[in-house]
Amino acid sequence: MQGLMQDWPLLCHRIIDHAATYHAARPIVSRSIEGPIHTTDYATVRRRALQLAQRLERDGVRLGDRVATLAWNSWRHLESWYGILGIGAVYHTVNPRLFPDQIPWIINHAEDRVMMTDLTFLPLLERLAPQLPLIERYIVLTDAAHMPDTPLKKAVPYEDWIAEADGDFAWKSFDETTAAGMCYTSGTTGSPKGVLYSHRSNVLHSMMASAPDAMGVSSGDVVMPVVPMFHANCWGMALTAPMNGSAMVMPGQKMDGASIYELLDTYKVTCTAAVPTVWLMLLQHLQASGAKLPYLRRVIIGGSACPRAMTKTFEEDYGVEVVHAWGMTEMSPLGTLGSIKPDYAGLTGEARLDIKEKQGHPPFGVEMKITDDNDRDLPWDGKTFGRLKVRGAAVLRRYYKEDDDALDAQGFFDTGDVATMDPHGYMHITDRAKDVIKSGGEWISSIALENLAIGHPKVAEAAVIGVRHPKWGERPLLVVVPKAGETPAREEILDFMRSKIAAWWIPDDVVFVPEIPHTATGKILKTALREAFKDYILPNRVAAE
Amino acid sequence: MQGLMQDWPLLCHRIIDHAATYHAARPIVSRSIEGPIHTTDYATVRRRALQLAQRLERDGVRLGDRVATLAWNSWRHLESWYGILGIGAVYHTVNPRLFPDQIPWIINHAEDRVMMTDLTFLPLLERLAPQLPLIERYIVLTDAAHMPDTPLKKAVPYEDWIAEADGDFAWKSFDETTAAGMCYTSGTTGSPKGVLYSHRSNVLHSMMASAPDAMGVSSGDVVMPVVPMFHANCWGMALTAPMNGSAMVMPGQKMDGASIYELLDTYKVTCTAAVPTVWLMLLQHLQASGAKLPYLRRVIIGGSACPRAMTKTFEEDYGVEVVHAWGMTEMSPLGTLGSIKPDYAGLTGEARLDIKEKQGHPPFGVEMKITDDNDRDLPWDGKTFGRLKVRGAAVLRRYYKEDDDALDAQGFFDTGDVATMDPHGYMHITDRAKDVIKSGGEWISSIALENLAIGHPKVAEAAVIGVRHPKWGERPLLVVVPKAGETPAREEILDFMRSKIAAWWIPDDVVFVPEIPHTATGKILKTALREAFKDYILPNRVAAE
């Protein structure tokens, strides 16, 4: 028997409709690319998004067509998302931080027909244009006064372009599983892979994110996504903030400590989100200037693990609650958030920081499990670590243009991370699955060893990789960049680590190198390290043989 | 183009799975029907709900079958909902406060196969049993020790019955539009009408209710639904609390002031919800005892309009935020909630109470409009009132066993209420559409006149109905029950009203009666009044003709 309730498709443009109807005058403040601060509101964003939709349609953009955006966080970028998805086209956020040859690759792979770009990226696009044969026209997110000469195909300033439409236009209707957005993951190996969000997954993700134990933003919040809209679906915030009628502050391209502080303070931001690097710059600025954060209540930190010291500083020195979060582009992207549940509410000091070091627990709509290599479930004891797999309303099923679903027999997606789960459902990332060292059937976390080694006063950077071993399969090799002017000894480093972990976790050898290779986004490029040391002979292996 | 995200159906049992996984030990405290306080947790509720599901299936209950519950709020009633819906059967909550002849009517109309009942209702059911030929067995929500002798068909105590299943059972999977729950509306005219909730509508409703500006309950909240589970889908709280991992307190059948206060205080309830009558009893108890409410943060008040004085007392004397809410069984049931948006955040005192008197604004997922009799949209100026129509993810499309959808051409459901909308989207109920008085094409609110008349010191109760008038179509007639020992004069009452409203709103006459007829749920039965006064000749009509 079917229920007899209305069929009300979960369409993303209903979000901006809701914001414009019930939170019409809530301010959207942006640091514009041109320089000055710009203020608008949800009613105006919606009105202009409708003009944009109408104008796109006049240019022949149709249901399912991809429209690229290469832009910082601003009101115009926000309007672009809604205008594009409101006719059933797909916003494809291009990450300008990719290696230059990856940018044309993903634009061509996505078959984007239109490019909407900030002024910032005109030189880049002018260089890449010959490799972008499918782009039919370039919309520059500025007005006529700031429009430079550019040879880009049919280039037009955004303001003039949308002004050609009167906005007497209605959103298109279609099935809620229609594609709405697209974002490529930049793996350390292989080509980038496209994740194709549906209207349904985006709306459900925002509803999940709205719950108080997740992002929990309200109409009383002033939300600043420092995380760029081109990074992992903007952590959902371009949809979650309007859904809840939160005011928004968009930082544009300036993400240094002083610029971010100025926005936090001037516009009384209550909730913000970004990667640890951004907060490191902010905290350095605050320390240098002596400024405080009287309005900020919550900072959501993800993208990479939030250092314990950062949590401590935000919470104890500035009275700002840190919500450690984890997710991935394939999860729209929220997986877990580290809000404190009653089970841990009584903890203080170091015991509280122990919990805050974990990446948190999932909202309703995300299921998780940890498994061994044979796909057997592992216990949630906070110690056993295994492959982290996820299933849910906003989790990827299949990458764009792939032939097969990326799921296991139970419908779970393998995150590629290795994690523990504790009895209260808090997840803690231990390693990447491909970096974990498998020694005699047991797993050793490369990240745990790196974090330990980095604590030695003579170590600038450390990486741990598995090296082949005839008896144990793999054993850990520690690669160290010494601090300038230091020449630490092998035993000195290993002795420092010995008392702090199980004996069988101690690396079999240490090599000193002048530098360690990194990915475009600053992560250690372990594939290159593994390649460099693939024939390395461990000393105790020699001894043992 | 379709998105490539997972198909993760919105099934209600995923809610109890989530609660049992991530909030396993959160307490569910109930005042049992047998007397003592009982405590359990989400992991146990889920385990027992699985036993119940398995046991129901063994009794032959299948996808789409209806199972009636006639019960107060308790852990066993909660287990019943999830156990029933987890095999695709439908929980049908029967309201014991209906007139006795309506109870068999709705049970037979729903074709319920099993009745799960509290001890309280055995005498009622024993009387009604001959009229309930379709009920195959009665499950009594108690244990063997408390089980009385009863002639009810195959009656068995719940605890023994579920103990016959080992719980080694998995929820069934089915389409998310499958029916999950059922609740009849008891109109003042005609037969009750069945509303059939789907899994999807229930899950989406709970996600909508979770938003901070709606109910916004978190895992740190202790939620007490005083509103019974048999009343309008329990305002969604039996689903919203577990979705967010909130602790729950279930008041059983005792809803007097002292009993409610005891639970609020002992179990540190932070959020509760019920109709004004319940809170009147609580406030009287508090006044008499001098007790305070140190733990309670929020009280959600709906079902009928929350008196201004009640809001003032809760907020100013007890520091408890009042969230005035409005909804209906046909909306799952939440329509609007009166949380304060930034637009009104600066208001205090009487100006704040003016806003709190409105029923609030809808969460994402509910659309509203007000229209005139020709279905033209009316302005949102806070003054113009019109028929309130709604559309959304958890709004009724069609009543059970009806042939036609109950929607207008745009897919909106007419709530039968008359309301204003203000520029910030706050809705204020003015009247019921059938009670509004249509005088010369303009509308007069019967409720506004009643509220005014009731303010006169000699008036105990007042009702206003429209009486036919040759020139104006209808004109208002005020029906008054004087206070004991008082004999107010017609002009005395009208003079009292005159300065406070527009002259053309003043009733054309006043009649004094010893009592006014009421519905089963205590509302004025205006149909009976209109019948009684259908040939009434208004004095100024005589004068005018």
Side-chain angles (χ1 to χ4, degrees):
Chain A
M1 186 160 63
Q2 299 289 292
L4 291 171
M5 309 305 279
Q6 293 184 14
D7 177 24
W8 196 83
L10 304 174
L11 299 174
C12 294
H13 37 285
R14 290 185 187 273
I15 293 177
I16 199 71
D17 285 351
H18 180 80
T21 306
Y22 297 102
H23 307 277
R26 205 81 66 242
I28 316 295
V29 174
S30 307
R31 190 189 296 280
S32 68
I33 305 307
E34 298 86 350
I37 294 292
H38 173 275
T39 301
T40 180
D41 58 37
Y42 281 125
T44 312
V45 164
R46 175 178 181 274
R47 186 171 52 71
R48 286 161 50 93
L50 276 167
Q51 285 178 269
L52 196 158
Q54 187 180 18
R55 191 65 192 76
L56 267 182
E57 196 176 58
R58 198 178 301 167
D59 272 0
V61 174
R62 293 287 178 271
L63 188 79
D65 285 346
R66 275 77 67 205
V67 175
T69 68
L70 186 61
W72 303 106
N73 294 5
S74 77
W75 80 104
R76 289 187 184 120
H77 198 177
L78 191 67
E79 290 163 3
S80 300
W81 276 31
Y82 286 100
I84 294 165
L85 63 82
I87 56 168
V90 181
Y91 64 84
H92 168 208
T93 51
V94 179
N95 185 344
R97 293 172 184 160
L98 292 175
F99 287 114
D101 62 336
Q102 286 184 324
I103 293 177
W105 191 93
I106 68 167
I107 291 171
N108 290 326
H109 189 261
E111 300 173 59
D112 299 325
R113 293 184 56 193
V114 177
M115 166 62 73
M116 308 190 67
T117 178
D118 268 337
L119 285 164
T120 327
F121 305 113
L122 286 185
L124 175 71
L125 286 172
E126 288 168 8
R127 252 190 346 265
L128 296 177
Q131 302 171 57
L132 304 174
L134 301 176
I135 297 286
E136 297 165 26
R137 91 173 299 170
Y138 291 81
I139 316 295
V140 184
L141 296 168
T142 192
D143 55 20
H146 293 85
M147 183 73 180
D149 275 341
T150 171
L152 287 171
K153 205 185 307 176
K154 293 173 75 183
V156 61
Y158 175 86
E159 295 295 339
D160 286 11
W161 180 68
I162 67 166
E164 291 166 20
D166 61 9
D168 182 13
F169 189 77
W171 303 125
K172 300 294 176 192
S173 284
F174 33 75
D175 193 90
E176 67 185 24
T177 55
T178 302
M182 190 175 211
C183 190
Y184 279 75
T185 59
S186 57
T188 45
T189 54
S191 299
K193 293 180 193 163
V195 180
L196 201 58
Y197 306 113
S198 68
H199 279 261
R200 175 183 164 105
S201 69
N202 265 349
V203 171
L204 289 175
H205 181 269
S206 292
M207 295 179 87
M208 289 153 51
S210 302
D213 282 302
M215 287 202 178
V217 294
S218 76
S219 67
D221 274 305
V222 181
V223 173
M224 178 162 74
V226 181
V227 54
M229 291 172 75
F230 56 71
H231 180 219
N233 208 24
C234 195
W235 298 6
M237 298 179 92
L239 299 147
T240 306
M243 177 179 277
N244 292 284
S246 310
M248 294 186 83
V249 178
M250 300 295 235
Q253 69 181 115
K254 289 192 179 171
M255 288 178 232
D256 60 283
S259 300
I260 291 300
Y261 169 75
E262 188 194 358
L263 295 178
L264 288 172
D265 192 64
T266 310
Y267 302 101
K268 300 184 167 56
V269 171
T270 61
C271 177
T272 183
V275 295
T277 319
V278 165
W279 304 126
L280 203 60
M281 292 189 291
L282 174 71
L283 290 174
Q284 283 166 351
H285 172 80
L286 294 177
Q287 254 178 323
S289 66
K292 294 290 176 189
L293 298 170
Y295 310 112
L296 188 61
R297 287 205 305 261
R298 220 144 26 122
V299 55
I300 298 160
I301 305 184
S304 60
C306 175
R308 191 177 176 100
M310 182 173 284
T311 301
K312 191 175 157 73
T313 305
F314 265 121
E315 298 211 333
E316 297 178 9
D317 297 354
Y318 295 98
V320 175
E321 183 195 357
V322 168
V323 178
H324 196 182
W326 168 87
M328 53 198 308
T329 302
E330 288 89 339
M331 297 182 76
S332 304
L334 293 180
T336 58
L337 294 110
S339 55
I340 294 287
K341 295 196 280 196
D343 315 286
Y344 291 133
L347 300 178
T348 55
E350 296 303 313
R352 179 179 162 94
L353 289 173
D354 287 345
I355 302 306
K356 290 253 156 175
E357 233 176 332
K358 300 174 191 265
Q359 276 82 0
H361 49 95
F364 174 79
V366 176
E367 297 178 80
M368 314 189 100
K369 63 178 179 182
I370 49 172
T371 66
D372 65 16
D373 275 340
N374 299 314
D375 203 25
R376 277 182 301 236
D377 276 18
L378 293 172
W380 289 22
D381 57 12
K383 287 176 204 138
T384 310
F385 51 88
R387 285 172 166 277
L388 178 64
K389 297 179 182 173
V390 294
R391 192 165 69 172
V395 180
L396 170 130
R397 173 169 61 83
R398 180 184 295 198
Y399 290 104
Y400 184 56
K401 290 186 176 172
E402 297 279 316
D403 294 327
D404 298 309
D405 288 350
L407 307 180
D408 71 12
Q410 288 75 42
F412 279 76
F413 171 77
D414 189 333
T415 64
D417 278 320
V418 167
T420 62
M421 296 292 303
D422 81 8
H424 297 297
Y426 281 68
M427 186 276 287
H428 195 176
I429 298 285
T430 316
D431 213 337
R432 289 290 296 169
K434 62 185 184 307
D435 296 336
V436 87
I437 294 131
K438 295 178 181 178
S439 170
E442 301 288 338
W443 291 8
I444 297 172
S445 160
S446 67
I447 292 177
L449 294 178
E450 288 160 7
N451 288 345
L452 194 51
I454 203 83
H456 190 283
K458 294 183 184 170
V459 173
E461 189 169 19
V464 173
I465 55 170
V467 175
R468 258 180 296 179
H469 188 285
K471 181 173 177 193
W472 301 110
E474 272 185 350
R475 288 294 300 160
L477 171 69
L478 173 60
V479 183
V480 163
V481 181
K483 280 193 179 157
E486 300 285 358
T487 50
R490 176 185 184 280
E491 279 309 312
E492 188 180 353
I493 307 286
L494 294 180
D495 281 346
F496 173 79
M497 298 172 76
R498 249 182 259 282
S499 61
K500 301 180 181 78
I501 42 166
W504 64 276
W505 277 44
I506 296 292
D508 281 23
D509 203 2
V510 185
V511 291
F512 296 96
V513 295
E515 65 176 358
I516 284 176
H518 292 92
T519 67
T521 53
K523 291 174 185 171
I524 293 174
L525 194 58
K526 293 211 176 166
T527 46
L529 276 183
R530 276 192 286 265
E531 179 60 24
F533 291 97
K534 71 174 192 291
D535 298 320
Y536 192 79
I537 305 292
L538 294 166
N540 51 350
R541 171 176 162 188
V542 176
E545 281 170 329
Chain B
M1 186 162 61
Q2 299 288 292
L4 291 171
M5 308 306 278
Q6 293 184 13
D7 177 24
W8 195 82
L10 303 175
L11 298 174
C12 295
H13 38 284
R14 290 185 188 273
I15 293 176
I16 199 72
D17 286 350
H18 180 80
T21 305
Y22 297 101
H23 306 277
R26 204 80 67 244
I28 316 295
V29 174
S30 306
R31 189 188 296 281
S32 68
I33 305 306
E34 298 86 349
I37 294 292
H38 173 274
T39 302
T40 180
D41 58 35
Y42 282 125
T44 312
V45 164
R46 176 178 181 274
R47 186 171 51 71
R48 286 161 50 92
L50 277 167
Q51 285 178 271
L52 195 159
Q54 187 179 18
R55 190 65 193 78
L56 268 183
E57 196 176 58
R58 199 178 300 167
D59 273 358
V61 174
R62 294 286 178 270
L63 188 79
D65 285 346
R66 275 77 67 205
V67 175
T69 67
L70 187 61
W72 304 105
N73 293 7
S74 77
W75 80 104
R76 289 186 184 121
H77 198 177
L78 191 66
E79 290 164 2
S80 299
W81 277 30
Y82 285 101
I84 294 165
L85 64 82
I87 56 169
V90 181
Y91 63 85
H92 169 207
T93 51
V94 179
N95 184 345
R97 293 172 184 160
L98 292 176
F99 288 115
D101 61 338
Q102 286 184 324
I103 293 176
W105 192 93
I106 68 166
I107 291 172
N108 290 326
H109 189 261
E111 300 173 61
D112 299 326
R113 292 184 56 194
V114 177
M115 167 62 74
M116 309 191 65
T117 177
D118 268 337
L119 285 165
T120 325
F121 305 113
L122 286 185
L124 175 70
L125 286 173
E126 287 167 9
R127 247 184 358 260
L128 296 178
Q131 302 171 58
L132 303 173
L134 301 176
I135 299 286
E136 295 164 28
R137 92 174 299 171
Y138 291 81
I139 315 295
V140 184
L141 296 168
T142 192
D143 55 20
H146 293 85
M147 182 75 180
D149 275 339
T150 171
L152 288 170
K153 204 185 308 176
K154 292 174 75 182
V156 61
Y158 175 86
E159 294 295 339
D160 287 11
W161 180 68
I162 66 166
E164 290 166 18
D166 62 9
D168 182 12
F169 189 76
W171 303 125
K172 300 293 175 191
S173 283
F174 33 76
D175 193 89
E176 67 185 24
T177 55
T178 302
M182 190 175 211
C183 189
Y184 279 75
T185 59
S186 56
T188 45
T189 55
S191 299
K193 292 180 193 164
V195 180
L196 201 58
Y197 306 115
S198 67
H199 280 260
R200 175 183 164 105
S201 69
N202 265 349
V203 170
L204 289 175
H205 181 269
S206 292
M207 295 179 87
M208 288 154 51
S210 302
D213 281 303
M215 287 201 178
V217 294
S218 75
S219 66
D221 274 304
V222 181
V223 173
M224 178 160 75
V226 181
V227 54
M229 291 172 74
F230 56 72
H231 180 218
N233 208 23
C234 196
W235 298 6
M237 298 180 93
L239 299 146
T240 306
M243 177 179 277
N244 293 283
S246 310
M248 294 186 83
V249 179
M250 300 293 235
Q253 70 180 115
K254 289 192 179 171
M255 289 179 232
D256 59 284
S259 300
I260 291 300
Y261 169 75
E262 188 193 358
L263 295 178
L264 288 173
D265 193 64
T266 309
Y267 302 102
K268 299 184 167 56
V269 171
T270 60
C271 178
T272 182
V275 295
T277 319
V278 165
W279 304 126
L280 204 60
M281 293 189 292
L282 174 72
L283 291 174
Q284 282 165 352
H285 172 79
L286 294 177
Q287 253 179 324
S289 67
K292 294 290 177 188
L293 298 170
Y295 311 111
L296 188 62
R297 287 205 303 261
R298 219 144 27 121
V299 55
I300 298 159
I301 305 183
S304 59
C306 175
R308 191 177 175 100
M310 181 172 283
T311 302
K312 190 174 158 75
T313 305
F314 265 121
E315 298 211 332
E316 296 179 9
D317 298 354
Y318 296 98
V320 175
E321 183 195 357
V322 168
V323 178
H324 196 182
W326 168 85
M328 53 198 308
T329 302
E330 288 88 338
M331 297 182 75
S332 303
L334 294 181
T336 57
L337 295 109
S339 55
I340 295 287
K341 295 195 280 197
D343 315 286
Y344 291 133
L347 300 180
T348 56
E350 296 303 314
R352 179 178 161 96
L353 288 173
D354 287 345
I355 302 307
K356 290 254 157 174
E357 233 175 332
K358 300 174 191 265
Q359 276 82 0
H361 49 96
F364 174 79
V366 176
E367 296 178 81
M368 314 188 100
K369 62 178 179 182
I370 49 172
T371 67
D372 65 17
D373 275 339
N374 298 313
D375 203 26
R376 279 183 299 237
D377 276 17
L378 293 172
W380 289 24
D381 57 12
K383 287 176 204 138
T384 310
F385 51 88
R387 286 174 168 276
L388 178 64
K389 297 180 182 172
V390 295
R391 192 165 69 172
V395 180
L396 170 129
R397 174 170 61 83
R398 179 184 295 199
Y399 291 104
Y400 183 57
K401 290 186 175 173
E402 296 279 316
D403 294 327
D404 298 308
D405 288 351
L407 307 181
D408 72 11
Q410 287 75 43
F412 279 76
F413 172 77
D414 189 333
T415 65
D417 278 320
V418 167
T420 62
M421 297 291 304
D422 81 9
H424 297 296
Y426 280 70
M427 185 274 288
H428 195 176
I429 297 285
T430 317
D431 212 337
R432 289 289 298 167
K434 63 184 183 308
D435 296 336
V436 87
I437 293 129
K438 295 177 181 177
S439 171
E442 301 287 338
W443 291 9
I444 297 172
S445 160
S446 67
I447 291 176
L449 294 179
E450 289 159 8
N451 288 344
L452 194 53
I454 203 82
H456 190 283
K458 295 184 183 170
V459 173
E461 189 169 19
V464 173
I465 54 171
V467 175
R468 257 178 297 177
H469 189 285
K471 181 174 177 191
W472 302 111
E474 271 185 350
R475 287 294 301 159
L477 171 68
L478 172 61
V479 183
V480 162
V481 181
K483 280 192 180 156
E486 299 285 356
T487 51
R490 176 185 185 279
E491 279 309 311
E492 187 181 352
I493 307 287
L494 294 179
D495 281 346
F496 173 79
M497 299 172 75
R498 249 181 260 281
S499 62
K500 302 180 180 78
I501 41 168
W504 65 277
W505 277 44
I506 296 292
D508 281 24
D509 203 3
V510 185
V511 291
F512 296 95
V513 295
E515 65 176 359
I516 285 175
H518 291 92
T519 67
T521 52
K523 290 174 185 172
I524 293 173
L525 194 60
K526 294 211 175 166
T527 46
L529 275 185
R530 276 193 285 266
E531 179 60 25
F533 290 97
K534 72 175 192 291
D535 299 321
Y536 192 80
I537 305 290
L538 294 166
N540 52 349
R541 170 176 161 188
V542 176
E545 282 170 329

